Amino acid sequence: MTTTTTGPLALPSGTDTGRPNPLGAFARPTAATGWRSWVSTVDHKRIGIMYGASALIFFVIGGIEALLIRLQLAQPDGVLLSADAYNQVYTMHGTTMVFLVVMPIGAAFMNYLIPLQIGARDVAFPRLNALSFWIFLGGGILLNSSWLLGGGADGGWFNYAPNNGVIYSPSRGIDFWNMGLIIAGIASLAGAINLIVTCLNMRAPGMKLFRMPVFTWMGLVTQFLLLFAIPVLTAAQFLLLFDRLFGARFFDVDAGADPLLWEHLFWIFGHPEVYIMVLPAFGVISEIIPVFSRKPLFGYPFMVFSGIAIGFMGWGVWAHHMFASGVGPLSVAAFSISTMFIAVPTGVKIFNWLATMWGGRLKFEAPLLYSVGLVTMFTIGGLSGVTHAVAASDTQQTDTYYIVAHFHYVLFGGALFGFVGGWYFWWPKVFGYKLGDKVGKVNFWILLVGFNLTFGPMHILGLQGMPRRTYTYRDGYGFNLWNFVSTIGAFTIATSFLIFFANILTSRRKAKASNLAMAADPWDARSLEWTIQSPTPAHNFDTSPTVHRLDDFWHRKYQENAEGKVVRIARSEDLVQPGDPTGVHLPSPSYWPLVIAVGLPFVGWGLIFNLWLCLVGGLLIVAGIYGWILEPADAPAAESGHHPDTGPGQPASDQAEAADGDRHDRDEGTESEEAALVD
Amino acid sequence: MSLARRAGLLGPALAVAATLAGCAKDAPQDTLEPEGRFANDLDNLINPIFAVAGVVFVVVLGGALFIALRFRSRNDEHFDDLPAQIHGNNVLEIGWTVVPAIILLAIGVFSVIAIFELNEEPPDDAVNVQVIGQQWWWEYRYDLNGDGTFDEIVTANDLVIPVGEEIDLEITARDVIHSWWAPKLNGKRDAVPNRTHPWKIQADEPGEYVGQCTEYCGLSHAEMRVKVVALERGEFDTWVEEQQTDAETFATDDTSEEAEGYRAFTGLLCNSCHLVEGVNDDQFSDEDLREFQRDVAGGPGTITDDELQASGHAPNLTHLMSRSTFAGAKFDLRRNTPYCRDLGVDWADEVDDVERCLDLGALEAWLRNPPAEKAMQAEPIPGRSPRRGMPNLELTEEQIDQLVAWLITLK
């Protein structure tokens, strides 16, 4: 049995100093409802919901930017956007979608689900988790404030040097880009450390690494990728920051700089970044497909290892973004080969998902539709990716719409389709009602058609020689028809998402009106989050589950009978935890993460406009850190009746036990629960 | 509910469309219709790979469609009757790891061979051209005597080459990263300041081949165009001779319109950025144009002259009228009609042809207000960014007429 006080990763609780807290202002907040409870929450579930909601808002912003692009490009010699306006719009579209939409949606799922799937009550560092979210939000707001403060960034999301310098981009837009992303990067790094420690240290008894669901595994690999990739981007961004604001000359060609330095730094981050974006979605559908096929995931070890392989190999392919950049034939050849081979573990996943469905009993409710959407659309994107890997002919494809087609197929058709499926799948667990399935199916088909109409023709446009990042194109080049079709497709996508948002509103209204409770396990699923009530109780698990095998919950519901046929042996209702929070002590809420996070954008604005704002921001940050350190370990009247949690292996003092950072209840499985376990 | 995978049908539809698109007449940048030896090699390399990808596409998406239809649960009862709970199959796993790896390895071998083959140096006697990108036009400089300096011919916008021969390009840039691309002749190569990248092209037939800058380079990235003009060897040699002559000067007492235009040119800002050999060579040093030191937020160096370009260069105009385009090849100088195209590089030799083929409206509009014609940062931003583009000199209509008259003499 794993506990937090023994073993190599032991985190023993400290003893409380017993100092009374003199300052009322530093008391832990106690609100459990209302907006105050949201801004002070350290609950991983609420943080996950906030990540998701923020991502959807940024998705609307990025989507409007996309529609502006498509309107401008619907016809040759478009006049809707000037060159300058277009350059800002396409830069912000890419930056927003990558950093403020796809990554936070992944974070939403990982934050909400990883503790549940490993049987924990929260992440390792709950206040740090809240800090990550608020810092991310601040970075996103700072980046988008550029629109109101002189114009968006206009150097492309990849922002190559020397164009990203002051001489060639004299507006402040790129400073906002820089600052916003440096700040958002802090959030990702803190989150990475948090989730890695959580996965390694806080698994329930019996939850060995190779019993973790594939979603958690993909999440773990993603966190390691973030841990090593974000610092590279941050380093490049600091060099740029010093060039732009303080007169450094890292990328100044007059001082002898080689602009390829930026390219290398960016893409060493940028390639792992795409796996950061897609691996969580791979994890999502790896949960959905087995449930809707009524079979286990085919090849669990291979799914885990291929994810790890992608994580490792992703570091060795970055210069495939640079085949035309003049790096020389030896480099080009090496990266061409490595890029070929990274298709292998990804292909393994595709085949395993299909094999899971093979021989199953497929129920095409919305989650499965989206999951199969990912499998098929990602395959298309992966195939065009293989054609890019042929470096010589990639010199015809790179920087054209063929590439735009490729990455939208893998990121939108891949990651985003998977995430929408995940929303449909986990919505009942998170909110206590299902999203309407009929509408969900309509939603899916309109999205599929719109998506293919938008990005399918871009393959043709690229091969016909239409470069990317161009604010207009000319008549007489053969680009007219497919650009027009693509614009129609874009508005079809927008329609499908309006339907999705409408579905949320109507489903919620219907659920409130009907007052029916949502079952704990509405899909007859396999992993631990379905063994507790819906919506998830604040304390997650009444008692720490004990895990005996992969898909433990499933095996407590279904067993092979004497004839070798797999039959149901228990109802979900009898196996799920009733949701009794007695005796549970949760990490207490705190305002200080928000305070620190608010300070950071002020530092950003200050560096751009007026250093006095940096002082304001800095004071907020320092005050926040002090508050964080000095606030009491927990709220005076903790939620469910403060109650000495006793049990084997418990420290005597319940004060010490209540120190922030203690997640587990040390209850062992009860007698009856033991009896229910069939090995 | 029918589960016909739209995506499954999309594949063949796309393939048909791509084929049809490839046959489109007005697709001058179509990579699938190469007209040069190296572009041909690339096309031959990628076509079989498209075929392999197509097969995999049909297998995987067809497989997904088949599985979706074949294993659909018929009803709720069927759904609750569990299928065989298969956990995996090691043989299959190894199979679908090794087989794709082998296919990819084979493709990889061809890829590597092609990389090194296309990287082979052109013959020593190949025409040697330095391609220099700057915001937002291309300069072409020829090294004719093999001394390593690209100074015999300096031209812009139209890259004139002999047909059927390998052309040795040395690609670089003066300000930000650009990328030079003429799709029907070869892939693209980035133009990076402080670096020179060798590249080569070869045109199979005489004609004109268009392309674009393909590395985002700021405001007018979309209008930084490439035009390659391939001439028969004899015509090319004649062109080379003509390019190396100086422009005529005009006596101070010459009152013709051309002379007035000449005086307007030499008296206004034009003189400081545009080189016309024989006219204002003294403005530019032997090592090419002036060095600029740029003020970077208080850092070293100061903008020595606010009037001048960030890149320090504007197109050399000495033989403007031998070109078919201007303003970074955004605009036609020579009308794009069959008659005018047939006149080739000598289109401006006859007065009648000039009248017929010069796109006077475009040229006058440019002189009248360049920033309105092409997105540029035509005015410096003090302390941050020097001028990048041609400013509005607020010329009178008379000055414009005079300048045009003089420009026409630059054959």
Side-chain angles (χ1 to χ4, degrees):
Chain A
M1 183 191 107
T2 50
T3 71
T4 56
T5 54
T6 60
L9 295 176
L11 293 176
S13 302
T15 47
D16 189 55
T17 59
R19 192 198 308 128
N21 192 31
L23 293 171
F26 284 67
R28 300 295 281 252
T30 51
T33 54
W35 67 270
R36 263 181 282 251
S37 69
W38 284 90
V39 302
S40 63
T41 189
V42 297
D43 179 347
H44 71 101
K45 299 183 293 299
R46 287 191 154 197
I47 290 169
I49 292 171
M50 289 196 289
Y51 266 116
S54 309
L56 277 175
I57 294 173
F58 286 122
F59 182 64
V60 171
I61 297 175
I64 291 172
E65 286 156 356
L67 291 177
L68 285 171
I69 291 172
R70 284 313 330 157
L71 279 172
Q72 165 68 7
L73 295 178
Q75 290 172 320
D77 297 313
V79 294
L80 178 70
L81 298 174
S82 68
D84 186 26
Y86 181 90
N87 291 339
Q88 292 175 36
V89 170
Y90 95 76
T91 299
M92 295 295 282
H93 165 74
T95 307
T96 297
M97 288 305 193
V98 169
F99 292 100
L100 305 181
V101 176
V102 179
M103 286 174 80
I105 296 178
F109 281 110
M110 289 186 283
N111 264 287
Y112 197 100
L113 292 171
I114 288 180
L116 293 177
Q117 290 197 334
I118 63 174
R121 211 165 255 141
D122 207 317
V123 295
F125 309 112
R127 281 182 299 177
L128 192 67
N129 205 16
L131 181 68
S132 280
F133 168 71
W134 293 113
I135 288 180
F136 145 74
L137 188 62
I141 289 174
L142 177 62
L143 172 66
N144 277 284
S145 71
S146 59
W147 285 121
L148 304 170
L149 294 170
D154 56 354
W157 90 280
F158 53 99
N159 209 31
Y160 278 1
N163 190 61
N164 62 15
V166 169
I167 292 175
Y168 302 107
S169 297
S171 85
R172 297 292 188 185
I174 289 181
D175 294 311
F176 283 97
W177 181 94
N178 223 12
M179 228 72 76
L181 293 184
I182 288 174
I183 290 172
I186 297 172
S188 294
L189 273 182
I193 293 169
N194 216 340
L195 285 172
I196 291 173
V197 174
T198 304
C199 281
L200 295 181
N201 213 52
M202 300 186 57
R203 287 166 280 131
M207 177 59 81
K208 300 186 183 183
L209 284 175
F210 274 81
R211 292 177 183 168
M212 295 198 308
V214 171
F215 174 78
T216 299
W217 263 112
M218 296 302 102
L220 183 60
V221 175
T222 303
Q223 299 308 316
F224 274 103
L225 288 175
L226 278 166
L227 189 66
F228 295 114
I230 296 279
V232 181
L233 177 67
T234 309
Q237 289 173 325
F238 264 95
L239 295 181
L240 181 63
L241 187 93
F242 274 76
D243 267 22
R244 286 186 64 92
L245 297 184
F246 306 126
R249 308 186 79 184
F250 294 109
F251 301 111
D252 184 350
V253 295
D254 289 335
D258 184 340
L260 258 56
L261 173 64
W262 174 275
E263 289 193 45
H264 283 295
L265 288 173
F266 186 83
W267 288 117
I268 291 176
F269 153 78
H271 196 80
E273 165 68 6
V274 312
Y275 295 117
I276 288 167
M277 287 193 277
V278 87
L279 282 177
F282 284 175
V284 165
I285 73 166
S286 301
E287 301 300 312
I288 292 174
I289 290 179
V291 169
F292 288 86
S293 307
R294 310 292 270 155
K295 296 171 63 222
L297 182 69
F298 197 92
Y300 170 88
F302 289 89
M303 289 300 271
V304 171
F305 281 118
S306 61
I308 296 172
I310 289 171
F312 272 108
M313 294 167 78
W315 293 99
V317 300
W318 82 86
H320 69 219
H321 301 270
M322 296 168 62
F323 280 151
S325 67
V327 286
L330 209 52
S331 299
V332 166
F335 282 97
S336 176
I337 299 283
S338 64
T339 305
M340 295 279 172
F341 282 120
I342 204 167
V344 174
T346 321
V348 164
K349 286 185 180 292
I350 301 277
F351 293 127
N352 273 292
W353 287 316
L354 290 176
T356 306
M357 292 168 62
W358 182 283
R361 302 270 191 264
L362 307 177
K363 203 175 215 184
F364 278 97
E365 300 198 33
L368 186 63
L369 281 175
Y370 281 100
S371 302
V372 180
L374 183 157
V375 172
T376 50
M377 296 302 103
F378 187 88
T379 299
I380 296 175
L383 289 172
S384 61
V386 168
T387 62
H388 303 328
V390 182
S393 46
D394 181 60
T395 59
Q396 292 285 40
Q397 299 162 4
T398 189
D399 254 289
T400 68
Y401 265 83
Y402 188 78
I403 303 277
V404 178
H406 160 72
F407 67 73
H408 281 97
Y409 266 85
V410 289
L411 288 176
F412 191 149
L416 201 63
F417 266 63
F419 286 144
V420 179
W423 278 325
Y424 276 92
F425 184 54
W426 276 294
W427 204 271
K429 177 57 58 182
V430 176
F431 295 109
Y433 62 91
K434 278 191 187 178
L435 290 174
D437 195 67
K438 273 212 188 63
V439 177
K441 288 174 174 154
V442 170
N443 182 188
F444 168 76
W445 288 109
I446 295 180
L447 179 61
L448 188 70
V449 168
F451 168 78
N452 280 292
L453 271 182
T454 309
F455 300 110
M458 289 186 183
H459 292 101
I460 304 173
L461 285 171
L463 291 175
Q464 286 197 288
M466 181 173 175
R468 50 186 296 207
R469 305 159 177 163
T470 48
Y471 77 95
T472 190
Y473 57 92
R474 271 206 199 143
D475 202 9
Y477 279 71
F479 301 153
N480 301 10
L481 172 65
W482 294 120
N483 268 295
F484 188 73
V485 170
S486 177
T487 300
I488 304 281
F491 279 89
T492 311
I493 294 175
T495 308
S496 82
F497 275 100
L498 286 175
I499 296 174
F500 176 68
F501 293 134
N503 200 6
I504 295 176
L505 293 173
T506 51
S507 304
R508 186 164 176 269
R509 210 179 306 135
K510 229 186 270 177
K512 286 202 149 161
S514 86
N515 262 326
L516 279 174
M518 172 56 55
D521 182 24
W523 306 113
D524 198 16
R526 314 176 73 88
S527 42
L528 286 179
E529 71 269 28
W530 305 103
T531 66
I532 54 184
Q533 297 300 314
S534 304
T536 318
H539 65 287
N540 296 358
F541 299 93
D542 304 349
T543 57
S544 210
T546 302
V547 173
H548 294 262
R549 54 199 299 173
L550 177 65
D551 288 339
D552 188 73
F553 179 43
W554 178 266
H555 291 285
R556 294 200 278 145
K557 293 189 286 188
Y558 292 94
Q559 286 283 311
E560 247 180 59
N561 64 9
E563 287 90 51
K565 188 169 162 54
V566 180
V567 291
R568 190 161 205 136
I569 58 158
R571 301 184 312 158
S572 302
E573 294 88 330
D574 298 328
L575 296 172
V576 302
Q577 301 196 358
D580 173 15
T582 314
V584 173
H585 180 80
L586 284 178
S588 302
S590 173
Y591 283 119
W592 299 111
L594 177 62
V595 172
I596 296 175
V598 168
L600 281 165
F602 278 98
V603 174
W605 283 311
L607 285 171
I608 296 173
F609 293 114
N610 188 326
L611 288 174
W612 286 110
L613 287 172
C614 290
L615 187 62
V616 169
L619 287 173
L620 278 169
I621 293 170
V622 172
I625 294 175
Y626 262 91
W628 183 312
I629 296 170
L630 293 179
E631 69 178 343
D634 72 300
E639 303 159 40
S640 38
H642 196 66
H643 170 105
D645 302 300
T646 52
Q650 291 283 52
S653 159
D654 67 335
Q655 289 276 70
E657 220 265 275
D660 198 41
D662 182 84
R663 244 43 344 110
H664 281 314
D665 250 1
R666 303 278 170 58
D667 300 355
E668 297 285 347
T670 60
E671 292 273 347
S672 56
E673 203 178 302
E674 292 282 2
L677 294 172
V678 179
D679 233 327
Chain B
M1 181 185 186
S2 163
L3 286 170
R5 272 293 104 92
R6 191 68 166 52
L9 299 173
L10 192 68
L14 265 183
V16 170
T19 318
L20 290 176
C23 303
K25 284 204 182 60
D26 59 347
Q29 293 182 183
D30 189 355
T31 65
L32 300 175
E33 295 290 318
E35 296 189 32
R37 188 177 130 204
F38 305 117
N40 226 331
D41 290 344
L42 297 177
D43 192 43
N44 290 338
L45 178 63
I46 201 62
N47 282 334
I49 295 168
F50 280 144
V52 170
V55 169
V56 175
F57 171 87
V58 167
V59 167
V60 174
L61 269 76
L65 181 60
F66 172 78
I67 289 171
L69 296 172
R70 168 78 177 75
F71 298 106
R72 228 178 340 162
S73 70
R74 285 186 289 276
N75 47 42
D76 279 345
E77 213 185 284
H78 191 224
F79 186 67
D80 283 332
D81 179 23
L82 293 188
Q85 302 285 291
I86 300 175
H87 285 79
N89 180 319
N90 285 347
V91 172
L92 272 179
E93 298 284 356
I94 292 170
W96 61 46
T97 306
V98 168
V99 170
I102 292 175
I103 296 173
L104 290 165
L105 183 62
I107 296 175
V109 165
F110 285 111
S111 173
V112 171
I113 291 173
I115 292 166
F116 284 101
E117 263 177 12
L118 285 159
N119 197 63
E120 273 163 22
E121 278 184 32
D124 286 335
D125 62 350
V127 171
N128 206 359
V129 185
Q130 188 183 41
V131 175
I132 309 178
Q134 53 234 296
Q135 291 178 328
W136 285 275
W137 58 282
W138 293 100
E139 177 163 279
Y140 303 110
R141 304 170 71 99
Y142 292 68
D143 175 15
L144 298 171
N145 56 15
D147 66 350
T149 57
F150 296 88
D151 52 1
E152 280 76 48
I153 299 176
V154 177
T155 181
N157 299 323
D158 285 18
L159 172 60
V160 179
I161 60 171
V163 71
E165 299 179 31
E166 283 185 45
I167 311 298
D168 182 1
L169 303 179
E170 303 287 329
I171 302 181
T172 184
R174 286 203 179 99
D175 42 28
V176 299
I177 300 180
H178 303 270
S179 193
W180 194 86
W181 193 36
K184 285 188 179 259
L185 299 183
N186 201 354
K188 62 189 66 74
R189 192 43 110 228
D190 283 2
V192 181
N194 279 353
R195 294 172 68 100
T196 300
H197 298 148
W199 202 228
K200 52 188 185 183
I201 54 172
Q202 180 173 323
D204 290 340
E205 301 287 322
E208 297 184 351
Y209 306 94
V210 293
Q212 290 182 250
C213 172
T214 32
E215 186 58 68
Y216 176 68
C217 56
L219 282 169
S220 271
H221 165 64
E223 296 289 9
M224 183 169 162
R225 296 181 181 273
V226 168
K227 186 181 248 195
V228 179
V229 178
L231 303 175
E232 297 287 1
R233 232 307 160 172
E235 285 179 56
F236 177 75
D237 290 335
T238 312
W239 178 85
V240 164
E241 292 288 323
E242 291 173 348
Q243 290 290 308
Q244 296 183 75
T245 57
D246 281 355
E248 59 176 300
T249 56
F250 293 82
T252 36
D253 56 355
D254 189 336
T255 52
S256 63
E257 212 181 10
E258 294 90 343
E260 294 291 343
Y262 169 81
R263 281 187 283 276
F265 173 79
T266 51
L268 293 169
L269 186 59
C270 332
N271 187 35
S272 308
C273 293
H274 289 282
L275 172 60
V276 177
E277 289 151 32
V279 170
N280 62 347
D281 301 60
D282 56 319
Q283 292 280 339
F284 307 98
S285 68
D286 282 344
E287 279 77 37
D288 205 357
L289 299 182
R290 262 179 266 254
E291 292 299 314
F292 289 91
Q293 290 169 298
R294 286 168 272 224
D295 189 347
V296 181
T302 2
I303 300 173
T304 52
D305 188 338
D306 259 351
E307 301 285 78
L308 302 172
Q309 286 280 2
S311 71
H313 291 74
N316 180 316
L317 296 178
T318 316
H319 301 282
L320 174 67
M321 299 303 279
S322 68
R323 305 176 200 159
S324 63
T325 60
F326 72 100
K330 177 174 180 178
F331 300 109
D332 285 331
L333 186 64
R334 180 198 71 199
R335 289 187 202 283
N336 197 21
T337 61
Y339 175 80
C340 299
R341 275 202 303 273
D342 279 343
L343 294 173
V345 292
D346 298 321
W347 66 279
D349 281 356
E350 303 293 321
V351 172
D352 295 332
D353 286 337
V354 171
E355 239 185 76
R356 190 167 164 179
C357 292
L358 173 66
D359 193 338
L360 186 60
L363 187 57
E364 287 183 342
W366 178 256
L367 291 171
R368 197 169 291 126
N369 191 354
E373 297 297 308
K374 184 167 176 172
M376 304 181 285
Q377 185 198 298
E379 296 304 321
I381 299 175
R384 288 181 78 76
S385 178
R387 185 196 306 278
R388 296 173 296 123
M390 180 163 153
N392 184 350
L393 294 164
E394 291 173 6
L395 303 168
T396 64
E397 289 305 314
E398 197 188 3
Q399 283 175 312
I400 291 173
D401 290 339
Q402 289 164 351
L403 279 167
V404 169
W406 172 71
L407 287 170
I408 290 174
T409 69
L410 301 175
K411 297 194 204 292

